[in-house]
């Protein structure tokens, strides 16, 4: 016995959002093809999964499955329509002949089928970009991943490949810049509270105690730090190291004074305490800070793409341009991350007269330097 919907069910039906413009484009396209099946040849780039409505996609698949009749034969009877309906009902049992009649009535001009198909493809591109953006945000904030940086970069590659695919069908033209204003910068992911600040403090202290390796850490920049003050202090450290100056808590304090970093809230004693308790090695903490910055940038890109795709006024051309611009900053930090994660090549000084081995006498041996303390990654 069929259930009679109660007042609550009727209210839920009324609360459904109104159909989006693409719904009418899908109806008009399917109506055009039901009226004139031979127009199927003009929309070869369209696939069933491009439809946002599942039933519409199933019906389009049935149209591709059942051979199209000759126009004269189709005008005489409904044999082809019946075959399409019966085929589609295998996947969409609720589909009725009445709805096929509704689709036909929804088509203003069958000769505009190619235009309707372009609208369906464009909306599918928008939805797919939004899915890529959602996956990028999820990967950047998922603390359960064993190697979140690898996952995020794989998602970035998938997004870039899809943008390249879209660009082959939607060539850029003047006016391709998106109209959506930039979203406010989001808070970086992966718990940017005390854990992130502790890692930055440990880097500053360890780099002060072991400054010799700072010249190999050009992949880390002040902008990667969660706390701007820590980034400015790191800039002081690298400035001292580049000049070949002495590096210790006192010289770092003096450099910070010249950069106007000392305030009532951050006194000289605070700085001395900050850089006087080293643990591990600088590159270990530097990699953790850079990874956090990479994930934060990926999260920001995902949010930016979400804003772009949610704005229905943006065309596919504008979505492609805006997405690539958003990825530019992530690509830059990715290059630095790859330098940090790759082992540094062994460099050997050029062989000169002063460094060449003596011609006579037994070779001298020297003991290897003691290994530096390094935390396990």
């Amino acid at each position: 016995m069929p259930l009679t919907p109660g007042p609550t069910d009727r209210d839920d039906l009324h609360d459904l959002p109104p159909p989006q413009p693409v719904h009418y484009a899908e109806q008009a396209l399917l109506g055009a093809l039901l009226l004139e099946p031979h127009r199927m040849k003009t929309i070869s780039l369209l696939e069933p999964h491009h439809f946002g409505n599942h039933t519409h996609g199933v019906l389009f698949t049935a149209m591709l499955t059942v051979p199209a009749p000759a126009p004269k034969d189709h005008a005489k009877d409904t044999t082809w329509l019946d075959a399409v309906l019966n085929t589609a009902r295998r996947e969409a049992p609720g589909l009725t002949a009445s709805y096929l009649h509704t689709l036909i009535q929804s088509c203003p001009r069958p000769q505009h089928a190619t235009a309707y198909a372009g609208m369906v493809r464009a909306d599918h591109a928008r939805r797919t970009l939004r899915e890529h953006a959602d996956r990028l945000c999820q990967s950047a904030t998922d603390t359960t991943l064993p190697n979140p940086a690898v996952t995020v970069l794989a998602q970035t590659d998938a997004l870039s490949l899809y943008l390249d695919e879209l660009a082959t069908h939607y060539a850029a033209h003047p006016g391709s810049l998106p109209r959506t204003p930039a979203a406010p910068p989001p808070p970086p992911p992966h718990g940017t509270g005390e854990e992130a600040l502790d890692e930055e403090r440990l880097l500053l202290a360890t780099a002060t105690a072991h400054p010799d390796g700072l010249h190999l850490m050009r992949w880390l920049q002040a902008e990667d730090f969660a706390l701007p003050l820590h980034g400015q202090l790191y800039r002081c450290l690298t400035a001292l190291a580049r000049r070949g100056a002495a590096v210790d808590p006192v010289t770092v304090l003096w450099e910070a004074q010249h950069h106007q970093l000392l305030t009532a809230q951050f006194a000289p004693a605070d700085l001395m305490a900050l850089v006087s308790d080293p643990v591990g090695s600088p590159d270990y903490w530097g990699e953790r800070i850079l990874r956090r910055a990479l994930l934060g940038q990926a999260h920001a890109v995902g949010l930016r793409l979400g804003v772009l795709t949610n704005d229905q006024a943006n065309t596919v051309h504008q979505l492609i341009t805006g997405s690539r611009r958003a990825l530019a900053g992530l690509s830059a930090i990715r290059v630095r991350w790859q330098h940090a994660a790759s082992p540094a090549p062994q460099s050997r000084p050029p062989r000169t007269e002063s460094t060449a081995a003596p011609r006579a006498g037994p070779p001298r041996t020297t003991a290897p330097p003691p290994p530096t303390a390094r935390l396990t990654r």
Side-chain angles (χ1 to χ4, degrees), residues 230-272:
H230 291 168
Q232 293 169 338
L233 290 173
Y234 180 73
R235 187 177 284 121
C236 293
L237 274 166
T238 55
L240 289 171
R242 281 197 303 268
R243 297 200 303 264
V247 179
D248 61 35
V250 175
T251 60
V252 173
L253 172 64
W254 197 254
E255 186 75 12
Q257 175 183 245
H258 291 312
H259 286 77
Q260 299 180 330
L261 300 183
L262 303 178
T263 63
Q265 293 74 29
F266 187 65
D270 298 325
L271 190 151
M272 294 287 288

Side-chain angles (χ1 to χ4, degrees), residues 90-319:
R90 300 170 187 168
E91 298 293 333
L95 190 61
T96 63
S98 176
Y99 188 65
L100 266 60
H101 183 67
T102 299
L103 293 175
I104 292 173
Q105 288 184 320
S106 301
C107 178
R109 298 285 189 276
Q111 59 269 33
H112 295 168
T114 302
Y116 304 147
M119 299 173 192
V120 174
R121 288 197 304 271
D123 196 75
H124 173 261
R126 181 190 310 278
R127 294 195 310 272
T128 305
L129 278 176
R130 187 182 298 122
E131 291 171 1
H132 278 286
D134 292 342
R135 286 196 291 267
L136 190 58
C137 285
Q138 182 180 2
S139 300
T141 55
D142 188 354
T143 57
T144 65
L145 294 174
N147 197 333
V150 172
T151 305
V152 161
L153 294 181
Q155 293 291 350
T156 304
D157 289 338
L159 172 59
S160 298
L161 287 175
Y162 183 67
L163 289 173
D164 292 340
E165 178 186 343
L166 282 182
T168 61
H169 303 296
Y170 298 91
H173 59 76
S176 292
L177 291 179
R179 58 175 293 278
T180 309
H190 281 276
T192 55
E194 278 305 309
E195 181 183 1
L197 299 182
D198 282 343
E199 292 173 356
E200 294 178 1
R201 296 185 190 106
L202 288 169
L203 168 67
L204 294 172
T206 308
T208 302
H210 308 287
D212 294 341
L214 284 177
H215 70 285
L216 298 176
M217 293 176 57
R218 297 182 182 274
W219 37 263
L220 186 65
Q221 297 181 0
E223 293 75 17
D224 299 328
F225 288 73
L227 186 65
L229 174 61
H230 291 168
Q232 293 169 338
L233 290 173
Y234 180 73
R235 187 177 284 121
C236 293
L237 274 166
T238 55
L240 289 171
R242 281 197 303 268
R243 297 200 303 264
V247 179
D248 61 35
V250 175
T251 60
V252 173
L253 172 64
W254 197 254
E255 186 75 12
Q257 175 183 245
H258 291 312
H259 286 77
Q260 299 180 330
L261 300 183
L262 303 178
T263 63
Q265 293 74 29
F266 187 65
D270 298 325
L271 190 151
M272 294 287 288
L274 176 65
V275 298
S276 298
D277 192 14
V279 175
S281 63
D283 58 338
Y284 172 79
W285 300 116
E287 286 185 22
R288 292 184 67 87
I289 293 170
L290 184 58
R291 182 182 66 178
R292 195 183 302 275
L294 172 71
L295 299 178
Q297 183 66 24
H299 186 236
V301 169
L303 291 182
R304 171 62 175 160
L305 266 60
V307 172
L308 291 175
T309 54
N310 286 335
D311 188 346
Q312 299 287 338
N314 284 325
T315 65
V316 178
H317 303 88
Q318 291 172 319
L319 293 177

Side-chain angles (χ1 to χ4, degrees), residues 42-59:
T42 66
I43 53 174
S44 57
L45 293 177
L46 192 67
E47 300 291 341
H49 67 274
H50 290 166
F51 288 83
N53 184 293
H54 172 72
T55 301
H56 290 172
V58 171
L59 183 56

